[in-house]
Amino acid sequence: MKPTLLLLPGLMCDHTVYEHQINALSEAWHCIVVDYEDDDSLVAMARRALDNAPESFAMAGHSMGGRVALEVMRLAPEKVQRLALLDTGYASLADGEAGEKEVTGRMARVKTAHEQGVAAMARDWVTGMVHPDRLNDTALISAIVAMFERKTPAIFEAQINALIERPDASSVLSNIDCPTTFIVGRQDAWSTPEQHQAMADKVRHSRLEIIEDAGHMSTMEQPQAMNEAFWQWLS
């Protein structure tokens, strides 16, 4: 029987964000992509992930999915054999002006999704989420926008609320004792390589892998490099 790889997608993402990795790994691994449905907290998403998982599994989380993975580690660390955290973060909402600015920006996008549709919101959002050189890559941008468009404005609002209310996961990182790899796009402006180094510094037995010429959507921007990083992590 094949071992299970639990894949946790990020904000408004689905199986498409891991499609290349699933194609590369599926002969050796049983891949499960979690659908959070209308959950509006990271803890609820983590519980849903555990409900979909066997007693023992490897787990990768991208962006918001990385934060969900950390909540899985808080709830049931004994079930996770190895962990990969991709283009993600661990801190709660910042205090003061920085936090207010983040909330304002996120709620403006929620308003756009409700008033103009998810596709309009996604086309604006994606401009800061891929390597600048890929903004004219019609196939990549269309795939990302279409993925977002499969979800509703209500789901977007629920997931944004989950991110705004995100718990701090510093203590979770410090307690991880399974083999852990952090993977990040070199040009990820949202979740920087420096942020991933800070996370890796908190985790015993961890390593940091940087994907060159990739922004936040690294699994889709540089699939071959990401596939290789996954094979290395899983072996």
Side-chain angles (χ1 to χ4, degrees):
M1 200 165 106
K2 289 189 279 196
T4 294
L5 173 57
L6 194 67
L7 296 167
L8 304 175
L11 179 71
M12 295 292 273
C13 295
D14 58 22
H15 64 279
T16 305
V17 83
Y18 291 115
E19 192 167 6
H20 297 286
Q21 290 71 53
I22 293 167
N23 289 340
L25 296 165
S26 57
E27 280 193 24
W29 290 82
H30 173 50
C31 298
I32 298 173
V33 182
V34 178
D35 181 350
Y36 312 121
E37 299 186 20
D38 55 359
D39 291 340
D40 63 356
S41 82
L42 298 182
V43 175
M45 294 173 190
R47 291 202 174 105
R48 189 182 293 277
L50 285 165
D51 287 344
N52 281 277
E55 281 305 299
S56 175
F57 52 89
M59 175 171 63
H62 174 258
S63 192
M64 180 185 77
R67 293 182 180 275
V68 176
L70 288 170
E71 295 311 304
V72 171
M73 295 303 296
R74 202 192 301 265
L75 290 168
E78 72 285 353
K79 294 187 174 187
V80 182
Q81 301 305 305
R82 56 185 66 225
L83 175 66
L85 297 171
L86 289 53
D87 300 280
T88 192
Y90 67 98
S92 57
L93 187 74
D95 292 329
E97 193 176 333
E100 288 169 15
K101 185 180 176 187
E102 181 188 327
V103 172
T104 300
R106 288 190 184 277
M107 295 317 293
R109 289 218 157 90
V110 170
K111 188 169 187 279
T112 300
H114 280 294
E115 292 180 355
Q116 298 173 41
V118 169
M121 179 279 296
R123 279 192 293 270
D124 176 57
W125 176 91
V126 78
T127 57
M129 292 294 161
V130 300
H131 189 291
D133 292 350
R134 302 300 293 279
L135 289 172
N136 294 321
D137 184 335
T138 310
L140 174 68
I141 300 301
S142 297
I144 294 170
V145 172
M147 175 171 64
F148 271 52
E149 209 174 3
R150 285 193 284 275
K151 299 200 185 296
T152 64
I155 286 174
F156 184 51
E157 186 168 2
Q159 293 188 356
I160 287 293
N161 286 333
L163 284 167
I164 289 171
E165 300 294 331
R166 63 190 183 265
D168 184 274
S170 303
S171 62
V172 180
L173 287 168
S174 304
N175 288 320
I176 292 172
D177 62 4
C178 66
T180 301
T181 296
F182 294 89
I183 311 175
V184 61
R186 173 75 73 186
Q187 286 79 22
D188 187 340
W190 183 256
S191 308
T192 62
E194 291 77 15
Q195 180 167 295
H196 288 72
Q197 184 63 63
M199 289 191 284
D201 289 344
K202 294 176 184 290
V203 181
R204 298 180 296 277
H205 322 301
S206 73
R207 52 193 296 276
L208 173 63
E209 182 105 13
I210 295 178
I211 304 295
E212 300 297 339
D213 301 314
H216 190 68
M217 302 301 286
S218 56
T219 56
M220 297 174 73
E221 292 177 67
Q222 294 293 347
Q224 193 56 45
M226 186 60 82
N227 291 354
E228 288 167 15
F230 263 66
W231 275 122
Q232 195 166 2
W233 162 58
L234 291 167
S235 59

